[in-house]
Amino acid sequence: DSGVTQTPKHLITATGQRVTLRCSPRSGDLSVYWYQQSLDQGLQFLIQYYNGEERAKGNILERFSAQQFPDLHSELNLSSLELGDSALYFCASSPRHGGNTGELFFGEGSRLTVL
Amino acid sequence: EDQVTQSPEALRLQEGESSSLNCSYTVSGLRGLFWYRQDPGKGPEFLFTLYSAGEEKEKERLKATLTKKESFLHITAPKPEDSATYLCAVHAGANSKLTFGKGITLSVRP
């Protein structure tokens, strides 16, 4: 158990809908990262927050947004969903704002299926 | 743009048959290379960090090595429980993100 909690584990929805994925980092970790994993693309970095502030942005679509709250949990909002958004969404946490340790603690992911 | 290529995509070994997994990278200013293990339905689990060419790290049957262009994950006398997908990632430049390869799916037959 990594200590990172993600909900929901599975989510099935329709095209055009909006969903929210939630992540609770390990106790004491200030950084939260969101990654998308699909069969053809592998793990793709979406966005990072550190202590409530956005620190880095990757290949995140404009239809997607995220935030980190004062209690350090984070939410990833996906809107106007398309079939291609079906994927595993992982949250990871680390105690630092930089990725130089590379030791990220990943949750078990939220599997999103868009029909 | 940072690029990470892992090969082969899949590898099937007999229990006890040692082998190596390759991770080639093209980055500007490598700050670290990382290996993760991912089991089906789970999130990646951190294995090793390598910072400079010539560095080696070991853990049980796994040994990771690093050169200026690639890293190898050597698996000695693997067991069925070593079956998993092994991911390589790099951290480069001023970014805080990790760039992952697509992974190598290892299957070890008893």
Side-chain angles (χ1 to χ4, degrees), chain B residues 37-106:
Chain B
R37 168 188 170 130
Q38 185 174 20
D39 292 302
K42 304 287 187 182
E45 177 185 352
F46 173 79
L47 292 174
F48 302 111
T49 304
L50 300 166
Y51 291 110
S52 57
E55 189 174 358
E56 298 183 353
K57 293 275 179 72
E58 280 190 71
K59 181 180 179 180
E60 296 180 354
R61 295 176 293 281
L62 301 177
K63 183 170 79 172
T65 62
L66 181 65
T67 72
K68 289 187 177 180
K69 294 183 179 180
E70 57 192 349
S71 176
F72 290 94
L73 184 64
H74 306 279
I75 302 178
T76 301
K79 297 182 177 181
E81 53 262 41
D82 294 321
S83 297
T85 296
Y86 291 86
L87 300 166
C88 169
V90 296
H91 176 223
N95 290 325
S96 57
K97 71 170 187 174
L98 296 186
T99 299
F100 282 83
K102 293 186 178 181
I104 298 171
T105 300
L106 174 66

Side-chain angles (χ1 to χ4, degrees), chain A residues 33 35 37 40-43 45 48 55-56 88 90 97-104 106-108, chain B residues 1 31-32 34 36 38 41-46 49 51 87 91 95-102:
Chain A
Y33 302 75
Y35 281 84
Q37 187 176 44
D40 57 340
Q41 291 293 323
L43 265 171
F45 170 71
Q48 179 210 354
R55 275 302 174 107
L88 262 173
F90 285 105
H97 67 83
N100 54 316
T101 67
E103 187 171 357
L104 302 183
F106 283 83
E108 296 202 344
Chain B
E1 187 175 323
R31 295 176 64 179
F34 314 97
Y36 281 79
Q38 185 174 20
K42 304 287 187 182
E45 177 185 352
F46 173 79
T49 304
Y51 291 110
L87 300 166
H91 176 223
N95 290 325
S96 57
K97 71 170 187 174
L98 296 186
T99 299
F100 282 83
K102 293 186 178 181

Side-chain angles (χ1 to χ4, degrees), chain A residues 98-115:
Chain A
N100 54 316
T101 67
E103 187 171 357
L104 302 183
F105 295 86
F106 283 83
E108 296 202 344
S110 292
R111 181 175 293 280
L112 173 65
T113 302
V114 182
L115 301 176

Side-chain angles (χ1 to χ4, degrees), chain A residues 61-113:
Chain A
L61 300 172
E62 287 192 9
R63 301 183 285 109
F64 297 180
S65 65
Q67 55 183 326
Q68 186 179 29
F69 295 87
D71 66 353
L72 301 177
H73 91 271
S74 178
E75 292 181 357
L76 179 66
N77 300 297
L78 315 175
S79 61
S80 302
L81 286 168
E82 302 175 359
L83 296 177
D85 298 327
S86 296
L88 262 173
Y89 291 85
F90 285 105
C91 169
S93 74
S94 78
R96 303 167 189 256
H97 67 83
N100 54 316
T101 67
E103 187 171 357
L104 302 183
F105 295 86
F106 283 83
E108 296 202 344
S110 292
R111 181 175 293 280
L112 173 65
T113 302

